[in-house]
């Protein structure tokens, strides 16, 4: 924790202040007291001694720099928090602080945990709680000077990104009107920027311009810029927020969350043209379009009259050509129809049709006769086929018959008799083997042309039974 | 502005012109309709040209909202 008092160096302060204080302070002990027991004090006396001890320039009107922790806004309007080292080491020192309502009102930046601040005030001892605290009369954000502003901008950027205000996503971008009827301009009325815009608009597409004058830099400029953008809502149909080039400090106000939120929530598309092309402010992230220069912004916001007039002239020619083209087409169609229903052509058509009919009739007759002769031819062929197949069938049948007759005859038991054989019967049973007969049997012999009776005298068995011995 | 209704903004006139061009391009459009559209188109073009030539730049400073 760093303790400074105005511009003097700490070590000088300490020498010429501390010695007088210690001389006339009740705190100094008489010789008699040092040797023997300490005097017994009541609490209020002790508190009184502490308050006297801290009532020293060393601890009044001093400026402390540190990080806010444990911030709690109070309904009374007082602020309670602690200041601690801004490093992250463990044994960091902390001091409880209070800022009474009248002083809290003067704070111009969002007080929150983690904010780096510089507090001016005095150390006090609050008897009811027996608590040492630092009473703040003035509180400044550490964000001052160029580094501070960078830190401030980054802080705002983090905050606005977390809220989803920036960056403006493609899908949410509001389209610029093709033919705007009123252009809103947020800039300073005395700036050359306004003149640039007017020149461009006058040349390209003259239309009513609503100027919302605002200061474009300096402390609290963001309040005017925000008000200017709001006042154009519902009046213009496109807005340019513009300022000329400047240092980082000059442009800082266009990074203020209020300006960025107002741009993001505008119902009208906004083109930002802030600083040089190389400068980027948080306002650019929230705007619908970003132009490198105010003149470019003007060119983006309005169409070009000469181009429109040229397009109108082209359109005139186009519809002229269309109507002429159509008339030409209609005349051609008419001419074609006229020709087609022209009498002589009509008669020729009739002749053609007659000819067609005659051809047709002739064709039919010849086709008829061709059909008749081919039918006759078919019949003749069929007839021949029938005769031939019938004969074949008859011959086949005859052959079959003969074969059957042959096979029947072959099966005629008496067939062998024609060859000189005889059938032997014994008691009406045909004898096929000498084993079926014995000596003395009475046999009937059947010949082709009659029968005979025989008695068996002797039987000789032939091993291979080819011809019996007679 | 010519006989075109004053209320029509430049944007409406241009979009009507585009529609007319589309219909003139369509062979199905009856001839009488084409002639009517042709006249309407020329009138719209005249009125748009007039709008552009008559447009003028005016600059008004507005009061900021508190």
């Amino acid at each position: 924790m760093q303790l400074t008092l105005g511009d003097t160096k700490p070590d000088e302060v300490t020498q010429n202040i501390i010695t007088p204080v210690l001389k006339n302070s009740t705190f100094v002990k008489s010789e008699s007291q040092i040797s023997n027991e300490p005097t017994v004090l009541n609490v209020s006396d002790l508190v009184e001694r502490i308050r006297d001890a801290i009532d020293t320039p060393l601890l009044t009107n001093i400026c402390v720099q540190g990080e806010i922790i444990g911030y709690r806004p109070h309904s009374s309007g007082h602020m309670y928090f602690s200041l601690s080292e801004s490093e992250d080491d463990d044994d960091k020192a902390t001091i409880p602080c209070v800022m009474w309502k009248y002083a809290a009102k003067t704070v111009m930046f969002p007080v929150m945990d983690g904010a780096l601040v510089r507090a001016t005030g005095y150390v006090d001892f609050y008897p009811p709680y027996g608590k040492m605290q630092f009473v703040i009369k003035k509180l400044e954000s550490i964000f001052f000077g160029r580094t501070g502003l960078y830190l401030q901008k980054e802080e705002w950027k983090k905050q606005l990104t977390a809220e989803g205000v920036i960056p403006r996503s493609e899908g949410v971008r509001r389209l610029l009107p093709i033919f705007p009827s009123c252009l809103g301009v947020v800039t300073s009325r005395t700036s050359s920027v306004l003149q640039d815009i007017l020149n461009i608009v006058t040349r390209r597409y003259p239309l009513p311009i609503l100027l919302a004058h605002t200061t474009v830099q300096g402390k609290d400029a963001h309040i005017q810029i925000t008000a200017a953008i709001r006042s154009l809502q519902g009046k213009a149909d496109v807005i340019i927020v513009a300022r000329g080039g400047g240092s980082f400090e000059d442009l800082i106000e266009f990074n203020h969350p209020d300006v960025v939120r107002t741009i993001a929530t505008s119902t009208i598309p906004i083109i930002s043209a802030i600083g040089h092309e190389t400068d980027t402010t948080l306002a650019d992230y929230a705007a619908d379009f970003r132009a490198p220069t105010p003149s470019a912004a003007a060119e983006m916001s309005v169409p070009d009259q000469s181009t429109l007039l040229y397009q109108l002239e082209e359109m005139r020619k186009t519809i002229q050509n269309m109507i002429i083209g159509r008339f030409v087409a209609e005349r051609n169609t008419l001419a074609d129809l006229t020709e087609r229903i022209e009498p002589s052509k009509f008669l020729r058509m009739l002749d053609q049709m007659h000819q067609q009919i005659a051809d047709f009739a002739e064709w039919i007759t010849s086709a008829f006769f061709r059909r008749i002769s081919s039918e006759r031819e078919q019949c003749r062929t069929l007839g021949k086929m029938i005769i031939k197949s019938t004969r074949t069938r008859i011959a086949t049948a005859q052959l079959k018959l003969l074969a059957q007759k042959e096979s029947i005859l072959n099966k005629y038991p008496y067939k062998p008799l024609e060859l000189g054989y005889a059938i032997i019967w014994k008691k009406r049973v045909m004898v096929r083997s000498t084993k079926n007969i014995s000596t003395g049997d009475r046999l009937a012999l059947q010949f082709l042309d009659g029968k005979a009776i025989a008695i068996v005298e002797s039987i000789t068995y032939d091993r291979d039974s080819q011809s019996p011995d007679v | 502005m010519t006989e075109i209704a004053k209320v029509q903004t430049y944007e409406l006139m241009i979009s009507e012109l585009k529609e007319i061009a589309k219909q003139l391009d369509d062979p199905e459009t009856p001839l009488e309709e084409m002639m009517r559209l042709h006249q309407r188109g020329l009138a719209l073009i005249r009125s748009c040209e007039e709008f552009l030539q008559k447009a003028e730049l005016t600059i008004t400073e507005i009061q900021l909202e508190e």
Side-chain angles (χ1 to χ4, degrees):
Chain A
M1 192 178 309
Q2 191 187 1
L3 292 174
T4 58
L5 182 69
D7 298 333
T8 51
K9 291 208 176 34
D11 46 359
E12 285 165 18
V13 165
T14 322
Q15 272 158 8
N16 50 35
I17 298 287
I18 291 289
T19 330
V21 165
L22 287 179
K23 269 205 184 76
N24 51 37
S25 148
T26 54
F27 192 62
V28 176
K29 294 193 174 165
S30 61
E31 276 73 14
S32 63
Q33 281 173 322
I34 294 167
S35 59
N36 49 22
E37 282 302 319
T39 53
V40 178
L41 302 172
N42 58 32
V43 175
S44 55
D45 289 346
L46 174 59
V47 160
E48 202 50 43
R49 279 194 182 184
I50 291 170
R51 298 197 73 167
D52 286 349
I54 60 174
D55 185 13
T56 144
L58 251 185
L59 300 175
T60 52
N61 194 26
I62 51 174
C63 187
V64 179
Q65 176 175 308
E67 180 181 339
I68 291 179
I69 59 171
Y71 166 64
R72 296 188 321 284
H74 200 273
S75 54
S76 60
H78 307 319
M79 283 191 195
Y80 298 93
F81 53 83
S82 298
L83 277 183
S84 85
E85 316 292 1
S86 53
E87 294 85 22
D88 290 339
D89 46 13
D90 293 339
D91 53 356
K92 57 184 176 184
T94 302
I95 181 160
C97 304
V98 61
M99 195 170 190
W100 306 124
K101 189 162 112 181
Y102 72 87
K105 268 196 238 138
T106 64
V107 177
M108 294 308 294
F109 63 90
V111 175
M112 64 182 87
D113 280 4
L116 296 177
V117 293
R118 197 163 269 174
T120 308
Y122 58 90
V123 175
D124 183 31
F125 188 83
Y126 190 52
Y129 293 157
K131 180 180 158 189
M132 183 82 78
Q133 61 186 7
F134 186 64
V135 179
I136 298 172
K137 290 186 288 181
K138 188 172 92 175
L139 192 65
E140 290 170 305
S141 161
I142 207 91
F143 297 131
F144 55 85
R146 175 166 279 260
T147 359
L149 289 183
Y150 274 117
L151 287 173
Q152 176 69 79
K153 178 182 176 186
E154 285 314 307
E155 191 70 29
W156 283 340
K157 184 173 182 184
K158 230 184 302 172
Q159 185 189 337
L160 290 163
T161 308
E163 288 172 21
V165 175
I166 58 173
R168 170 172 289 283
S169 63
E170 265 315 302
V172 183
R173 190 189 299 274
R174 294 161 294 223
L175 297 181
L176 296 175
I178 302 168
F179 306 108
S181 51
C182 176
L183 170 63
V185 180
V186 172
T187 191
S188 159
R189 69 168 78 87
T190 57
S191 69
S192 62
V193 158
L194 177 60
Q195 205 45 56
D196 292 347
I197 292 173
L198 296 183
N199 295 342
I200 297 284
V201 170
T202 308
R203 174 172 54 78
R204 275 177 73 88
Y205 188 81
L207 82 170
I209 289 182
L210 287 181
L211 169 63
H213 164 73
T214 173
T215 53
V216 288
Q217 67 186 54
K219 190 165 175 24
D220 300 342
H222 64 274
I223 297 169
Q224 269 196 30
I225 299 167
T226 306
I229 296 169
R230 282 208 194 103
S231 55
L232 285 169
Q233 299 298 308
K235 298 190 177 80
D237 39 30
V238 56
I239 295 175
I240 297 177
V241 177
R243 68 143 287 152
S247 65
F248 181 81
E249 288 84 346
D250 295 339
L251 306 185
I252 189 69
E253 289 297 307
F254 286 91
N255 295 296
H256 195 283
D258 293 351
V259 172
V260 179
R261 288 193 193 100
T262 307
I263 289 177
T265 52
S266 162
T267 55
I268 298 164
I270 290 184
I271 305 170
S272 67
I274 297 155
H276 299 299
E277 187 167 357
T278 50
D279 299 321
T280 304
T281 63
L282 299 186
D284 296 320
Y285 289 110
D288 299 283
F289 297 92
R290 179 177 181 243
T293 62
S295 303
E299 282 175 6
M300 281 168 81
S301 63
V302 293
D304 180 11
Q305 193 180 57
S306 54
T307 312
L308 292 177
L309 288 169
Y310 172 78
Q311 283 170 353
L312 285 170
E313 193 45 42
E314 284 304 299
M315 179 78 89
R316 176 181 277 118
K317 285 186 201 140
T318 308
I319 63 175
Q320 207 82 330
N321 293 341
M322 279 176 175
I323 197 86
I324 292 166
R326 179 64 183 268
F327 272 114
V328 165
E330 294 296 340
R331 269 199 206 93
N332 291 343
T333 313
L334 205 57
D336 178 51
L337 285 173
T338 318
E339 192 195 316
R340 282 166 67 186
I341 56 172
E342 205 250 323
S344 65
K345 195 158 188 198
F346 189 64
L347 292 173
R348 220 176 305 124
M349 243 170 67
L350 276 179
D351 292 346
Q352 252 179 359
M353 291 170 85
H354 281 308
Q355 181 59 43
Q356 276 174 353
I357 289 164
D359 295 347
F360 196 60
E362 189 189 320
W363 183 76
I364 284 175
T365 319
S366 67
F368 176 72
F369 284 119
R370 270 203 311 282
R371 181 64 183 276
I372 297 294
S373 65
S374 78
E375 292 296 334
R376 237 187 239 113
E377 188 53 37
Q378 265 190 5
C379 286
R380 217 175 286 117
T381 322
L382 270 175
K384 280 182 192 155
M385 276 172 64
I386 287 164
I387 293 162
K388 194 173 162 210
S389 72
T390 313
R391 279 199 190 111
T392 322
R393 299 264 313 261
I394 290 163
T396 323
Q398 280 170 349
L399 285 174
K400 255 188 206 163
L401 198 63
L402 271 179
Q404 278 175 351
K405 184 184 170 193
E406 197 66 37
S407 74
I408 289 164
L409 286 180
N410 288 342
K411 290 192 176 89
Y412 182 54
Y414 301 110
K415 180 75 180 170
L417 303 188
E418 288 170 7
L419 306 175
Y421 293 101
I423 301 171
I424 307 163
W425 301 90
K426 177 186 165 188
K427 294 175 184 152
R428 296 179 180 278
V429 171
M430 189 184 289
V431 174
R432 294 177 191 278
S433 156
T434 53
K435 293 181 181 93
N436 300 337
I437 58 172
S438 48
T439 318
D441 279 353
R442 190 179 137 81
L443 301 175
L445 305 179
Q446 183 179 350
F447 297 94
L448 181 64
D449 55 358
K451 283 189 175 183
I453 300 301
I455 307 297
V456 175
E457 290 178 357
S458 67
I459 302 168
T460 54
Y461 297 100
D462 177 3
R463 250 183 288 99
D464 53 8
S465 70
Q466 272 152 350
S467 60
D469 289 346
V470 178
Chain B
M1 293 251 187
T2 55
E3 69 280 11
I4 301 298
K6 298 288 179 301
V7 171
Q8 276 208 303
T9 64
Y10 187 87
E11 208 151 356
L12 282 175
M13 290 193 282
I14 289 292
S15 59
E16 187 181 345
L17 258 175
K18 283 177 184 161
E19 190 51 34
I20 285 173
K22 215 186 293 177
Q23 288 181 42
L24 287 177
D25 211 17
D26 177 4
E28 299 302 321
T29 308
L31 194 53
E32 290 76 16
E33 176 66 1
M34 268 197 87
M35 289 156 71
R36 188 190 67 75
L37 288 170
H38 177 243
Q39 295 309 318
R40 173 75 179 164
L42 293 182
L44 278 169
I45 288 171
R46 272 194 305 274
S47 148
C48 286
E49 283 168 340
E50 224 173 279
F51 171 88
L52 290 175
Q53 274 127 15
K54 277 188 176 169
E56 59 180 274
L57 183 132
T58 60
I59 178 160
T60 320
E61 186 166 335
I62 60 167
Q63 207 48 40
L64 298 199
E65 287 176 14
E66 282 317 307

